[in-house]
Amino acid sequence: MTPECEQVLDLVGEPLPAPLAAHAAACGDCRALREGFGALEAPPSSAPPALESARRLALAELAASPRPTPWWHELALLLAVDAAVVAAGLLALGRKGLVLNAAPAPVVLTLALLLLLVVGGGALLALAPLRRPRPWGALGLGVAGLAVAQVLCGSGLSHRPLLSGTLRCLGLEVGMSVAPLAVAMVLLRRAAFTPGRALAAGLSAAGAGLLVLHLHCPTGTVAHVLWGHVAPWLALAGLAVLVRSRMGSRSYAP
Amino acid sequence: MARFCQGEAAAFDALFLRYSRPVHGYLTRVTGSAAVADDLAQLTFLSLVRARGRFQAGSRVKPWLYAIATNAARDHQRRGRRPEELTSEGELPSTIPADLPAPRDAGLERTVQRALAQLPEGQRLPILMHRFEGMGFAEIAEVLGLTESAVKVRAHRGYARLRELLAGLRDEVAP
């Protein structure tokens, strides 16, 4: 490809200055490119009947719901469900005390705040109508770091046999995640499917249950936290992506 | 757009009048089928109505509408419906819908469609929007949720690849 060919490439669809026009006329490849694009530009068609049908349907939809729902209502709803799950979970499980995690208090508090950030930030990333490139890489790194910190910063204490304790926490986390995940899936149908959005919604929704376990569970061994707390959280987020990918969308808005 | 967001039918009609044909044409080029484009155009404008609460005041309508149309086409292809629209060789169909006027050169059009169909979506969509919808790279970046420089790189690579493909296909069909 000559430098002239590069310039012709940059000006596809636009008038060429005289020297380039001469090159394009002489160069077979450049001519093929420009003629090819010219051939696709058929004159505009008359309106297909389907467009009139689309117009009628859209107008009927508009008449049925003249007031739009702002997107942040959906965000507020998901966060309210997450908050309700955390409050109900801590109250239901916390008869012997709301916070039983025996790790140093600053560690417990820092990890709890980071989890809250994931719950809130994940919901925002999942539901906000941003069109700019989203910080998916930062989210992935943050979640990976938080998962490792959760596993490694436990108290190391064990109060139950590994299997029964892990299964109990796993069941509790899944149970507490059902409602937030269901609400998140319904809300996600109001925008186009993207794996990143679904993953963020899943991490946020399942994060509520993880937060309750983080504060309440007195067992802090690596194996227990890994298989009873963190692995179910990540698995539920993955499940959210799978389920959302198989659901239809009510709207394809970004 | 603000009046449409408040539910005014006349404002929707104005938007529809302005954008329905270009969007339909875009969807036809993306999917290679006028019939599929009919369905997707309907979904696009239904989405426009249903999701107008997600429109950010002050942003441009055209990139938002094309983003909806692109998402609808992607969803259609993701759900495995695209193979029905392709030829046995996995290419975009070369037939022209009956309601369209005859092209200037059907053979050449077929050649370009074959070449376009061979491009990855990431290169094909910026080219379709840049070349046929008259959109700037900043607008395309808005539609695709990418940075402007990323769109420029993809479009340039796509044009370069298309040039090679067109040269190759032309040699194939030349007597």
Side-chain angles (χ1 to χ4, degrees):
Chain A
M1 194 187 293
T2 66
E4 287 83 4
C5 294
E6 289 271 4
Q7 290 173 26
V8 170
L9 205 56
D10 290 336
L11 292 172
V12 165
E14 295 168 30
L16 294 179
L20 273 185
H23 164 81
C27 171
D29 289 352
C30 289
R31 209 168 55 238
L33 181 72
R34 292 184 68 81
E35 286 176 356
F37 273 101
L40 277 188
E41 284 189 295
S45 64
S46 56
L51 282 183
E52 186 46 39
S53 152
R55 178 180 162 273
R56 278 201 309 274
L57 273 174
L59 282 172
E61 182 81 17
L62 188 63
S65 53
R67 290 256 171 215
T69 308
W71 67 270
W72 55 266
H73 283 200
E74 297 164 2
L75 176 65
L77 175 63
L78 183 57
L79 290 178
V81 172
D82 287 340
V85 165
V86 172
L90 283 177
L91 287 175
L93 298 173
R95 294 188 199 96
K96 294 179 186 170
L98 292 180
V99 180
L100 299 182
N101 189 335
V107 172
V108 175
L109 184 64
T110 303
L111 287 178
L113 289 174
L114 288 174
L115 271 172
L116 273 177
L117 190 65
V118 168
V119 170
L124 182 69
L125 279 175
L127 299 176
L130 298 172
R131 270 173 288 157
R132 290 181 292 277
R134 293 175 187 233
W136 298 127
L139 177 72
L141 279 177
V143 166
L146 182 56
V148 170
Q150 281 271 326
V151 171
L152 297 182
C153 296
S155 64
L157 300 176
S158 176
H159 292 269
R160 289 171 187 263
L162 176 63
L163 186 62
S164 63
T166 300
L167 287 177
R168 178 177 180 272
C169 281
L170 190 152
L172 282 172
E173 188 165 341
V174 170
M176 284 188 283
S177 299
V178 169
L181 278 173
V183 171
M185 289 300 106
V186 170
L187 296 178
L188 282 176
R189 286 189 67 233
R190 300 183 186 184
F193 166 71
T194 62
R197 269 181 196 278
L199 185 65
L203 288 168
S204 167
L210 178 63
L211 178 59
V212 172
L213 289 183
H214 167 70
L215 293 173
H216 170 76
C217 180
T219 302
T221 62
V222 167
H224 175 82
V225 175
L226 174 62
W227 297 112
H229 297 194
V230 174
W233 175 49
L234 299 176
L236 285 166
L239 182 68
V241 178
L242 183 69
V243 171
R244 177 63 187 94
S245 72
R246 289 164 188 270
M247 295 167 71
S249 293
R250 191 173 142 69
S251 150
Y252 292 101
Chain B
M1 188 66 192
R3 288 188 294 126
F4 160 60
C5 285
Q6 294 309 312
E8 202 176 298
F12 171 79
D13 264 338
L15 284 173
F16 189 86
L17 196 65
R18 182 167 179 185
Y19 291 114
S20 58
R21 285 189 205 182
V23 165
H24 186 272
Y26 170 67
L27 287 168
T28 304
R29 288 190 174 98
V30 169
T31 62
S33 160
V36 173
D38 287 348
D39 293 343
L40 294 182
Q42 190 165 301
L43 288 174
T44 299
F45 284 98
L46 265 180
S47 292
L48 180 74
V49 172
R50 286 174 176 165
R52 63 195 193 280
R54 299 178 66 81
F55 182 78
Q56 292 170 301
S59 14
R60 290 176 291 186
V61 179
K62 187 176 177 182
W64 196 62
L65 186 58
Y66 274 77
I68 294 175
T70 303
N71 289 336
R74 277 180 175 156
D75 189 70
H76 175 82
Q77 291 171 358
R78 187 173 60 82
R79 288 171 179 279
R81 280 173 261 181
R82 185 172 176 187
E84 294 172 21
E85 318 303 335
L86 297 179
T87 65
S88 56
E89 293 166 344
E91 293 162 355
L92 290 174
S94 56
T95 50
I96 311 298
D99 59 346
L100 290 179
R104 287 191 291 263
D105 184 338
L108 192 52
E109 180 183 9
R110 194 159 49 239
T111 304
V112 180
Q113 283 183 330
R114 282 178 65 188
L116 275 171
Q118 290 178 49
L119 293 181
E121 186 200 82
Q123 295 175 358
R124 191 159 49 98
L125 291 181
I127 288 178
L128 290 176
M129 283 185 258
H130 182 231
R131 181 65 189 89
F132 298 110
E133 308 306 319
M135 296 169 79
F137 289 120
E139 277 184 310
I140 299 171
E142 259 188 83
V143 172
L144 298 176
L146 299 168
T147 60
E148 190 175 338
S149 53
V151 169
K152 279 181 183 169
V153 168
R154 288 177 185 211
H156 191 79
R157 284 182 184 158
Y159 277 129
R161 177 78 184 124
L162 201 55
R163 190 175 181 281
E164 294 169 12
L165 288 169
L166 282 173
L169 291 171
R170 192 194 49 180
D171 292 344
E172 274 178 33
V173 296

